[in-house]
């Protein structure tokens, strides 16, 4: 597995520098092509705009979104022009309820999508459906990067959240290009089951799998001493001064086709390091 086609989606100029720098750093490191997709978000569809809006108001909103997309694209071209990455920039307007579908259609043909954290003060509501579109419909791994974090194309210390689930295994497989070049990879098992085939050696089989790929692996078995598993994992990330977390992305269907599950959302809200996820 390797990264040769990387996609990033830009909807907010405030988040552009960090996201673009991470994506460009990865593209340079893996000799990959980076595509930046810039969206102006149109919120005029039913459910996101007041009733009775006339055609002139709707056209004005559409024009504003188009100008935003063009401005974002210009800023991205300027930022990428200062890098050594091979890149291309596309831009357009997407309605809020449909932006995930547009992202998924491009993400399907990418090896990795680099996105900003979708939660926090001042973050646009479109960031969550962008992430969900890539993960669930695009079926591609996503690297979520916090604001103001120095990009590291080759992280040295990586924490893998391991629960034997299919999502965690897929994330681990997709992250192999990053794991094989890391100095230390900590497979973290929290409160392993007392019964089952791996009860005497939690994390042993996945550690063996990684070792055969040349990954320098340690298994850390932790007790759930905090209310949430994500809190235990994040504390361990801090204790190890890790550069990245690899974990499965979990979701459930309620009001939309995909909504990030509680553990996944908690990690994305609180993580101070990039989080590599796959579903």
């Amino acid at each position: 597995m390797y990264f040769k086609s990387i996609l990033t989606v830009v909807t907010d100029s405030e988040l552009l520098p960090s996201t673009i720098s991470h994506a460009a750093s990865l593209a340079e490191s893996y000799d990959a092509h980076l595509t930046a997709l810039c969206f102006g978000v149109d919120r005029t569809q039913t459910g996101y705009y007041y009733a009775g809006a006339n055609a002139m108001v709707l056209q004005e909103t559409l024009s504003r979104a188009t100008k935003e997309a063009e401005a974002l694209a210009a800023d991205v071209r300027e930022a990428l022009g200062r890098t050594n990455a091979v890149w291309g920039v596309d831009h357009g307007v997407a309605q809020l309820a449909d932006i995930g579908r547009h992202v998924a259609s491009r993400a399907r043909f990418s090896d990795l999508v680099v996105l900003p954290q979708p939660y926090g003060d001042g973050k646009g509501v479109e960031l969550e459906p962008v992430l969900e579109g890539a993960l669930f419909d695009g079926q591609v791994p996503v690297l979520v990067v916090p604001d103001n974090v120095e990009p590291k194309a080759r992280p040295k210390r990586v924490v893998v959240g391991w629960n034997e689930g299919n999502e965690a295994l897929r994330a681990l497989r997709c992250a192999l290009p990053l794991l094989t070049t890391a100095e230390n990879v900590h497979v973290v098992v929290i409160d392993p089951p007392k019964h089952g085939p791996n009860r005497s050696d939690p994390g042993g089989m996945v550690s063996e799998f990684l070792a055969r790929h040349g990954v320098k692996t340690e298994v850390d078995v932790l007790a759930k001493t905090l209310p949430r598993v994500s809190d235990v994992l994040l504390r361990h990330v801090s204790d190890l001064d890790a550069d990245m977390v690899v974990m499965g992305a979990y979701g459930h269907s309620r009001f939309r086709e995909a909504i990030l599950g509680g553990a996944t959302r908690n990690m994305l809200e609180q993580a101070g390091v990039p989080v590599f996820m796959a579903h």
Side-chain angles (χ1 to χ4, degrees), residues 170-236:
R170 183 158 191 269
L172 184 144
R173 288 183 188 276
C174 291
L176 277 174
L178 296 165
L179 300 181
T180 53
T181 58
E183 293 180 1
N184 298 102
V185 174
H186 292 258
V187 176
V188 178
V189 183
I190 299 172
D191 264 2
K194 296 179 181 178
H195 305 283
N198 301 316
R199 64 186 183 278
S200 61
D201 187 19
M205 293 184 69
V206 70
S207 178
E208 184 179 84
F209 167 77
L210 289 172
R212 288 173 178 166
H213 283 275
V215 179
K216 303 175 183 67
T217 310
E218 297 180 34
V219 177
D220 301 337
V221 180
L222 307 178
K224 187 184 175 187
T225 55
L226 296 170
R228 297 183 297 196
V229 169
S230 58
D231 294 333
V232 178
L233 188 60
L234 285 170
R235 184 175 64 182
H236 200 57

Side-chain angles (χ1 to χ4, degrees), residues 55-253:
M56 184 177 297
V57 174
L58 299 181
Q59 182 59 46
E60 181 182 345
T61 305
L62 180 61
S63 298
R64 185 186 306 118
T66 301
K67 291 179 181 178
E68 288 175 358
E70 292 171 348
L72 284 172
D75 290 343
V76 169
R77 289 190 180 97
E78 182 180 351
L80 289 175
R82 297 192 292 267
T83 73
N84 295 318
V86 178
W87 53 271
V89 177
D90 289 337
H91 70 277
V93 173
Q95 292 185 321
L96 184 58
D98 206 32
I99 193 170
R101 181 178 64 84
H102 290 297
V103 171
S105 67
R106 298 297 295 269
R108 291 177 62 227
F109 301 100
S110 303
D111 298 312
L112 178 67
V113 179
V114 181
L115 296 174
Q117 275 183 323
Y119 308 113
D121 294 338
K123 298 293 179 70
V125 294
E126 75 279 356
L127 296 179
E128 187 176 44
V130 165
L131 174 59
E132 291 173 358
L135 276 173
F136 296 111
D137 295 327
Q139 289 290 300
V140 66
V142 174
L143 182 66
V144 179
V145 295
D147 309 340
N148 304 318
V149 171
E150 189 71 23
K152 292 183 179 180
R154 307 278 179 167
K156 295 181 179 180
R157 288 176 296 280
V158 180
V159 166
V160 176
W162 180 246
N163 63 359
E164 300 188 9
N166 291 334
E167 290 86 351
L169 181 58
R170 183 158 191 269
L172 184 144
R173 288 183 188 276
C174 291
L176 277 174
L178 296 165
L179 300 181
T180 53
T181 58
E183 293 180 1
N184 298 102
V185 174
H186 292 258
V187 176
V188 178
V189 183
I190 299 172
D191 264 2
K194 296 179 181 178
H195 305 283
N198 301 316
R199 64 186 183 278
S200 61
D201 187 19
M205 293 184 69
V206 70
S207 178
E208 184 179 84
F209 167 77
L210 289 172
R212 288 173 178 166
H213 283 275
V215 179
K216 303 175 183 67
T217 310
E218 297 180 34
V219 177
D220 301 337
V221 180
L222 307 178
K224 187 184 175 187
T225 55
L226 296 170
R228 297 183 297 196
V229 169
S230 58
D231 294 333
V232 178
L233 188 60
L234 285 170
R235 184 175 64 182
H236 200 57
V237 169
S238 177
D239 291 343
L240 295 172
D241 193 22
D243 302 315
M244 187 178 74
V245 176
V246 175
M247 61 177 286
Y250 300 88
H252 50 77
S253 296

Side-chain angles (χ1 to χ4, degrees), residues 7-11 19 35-39 99 103 113-116 130:
L7 174 70
T8 188
V9 180
V10 181
T11 61
T19 308
T35 298
L37 193 55
C38 304
F39 281 120
I99 193 170
V103 171
V113 179
V114 181
L115 296 174
V130 165

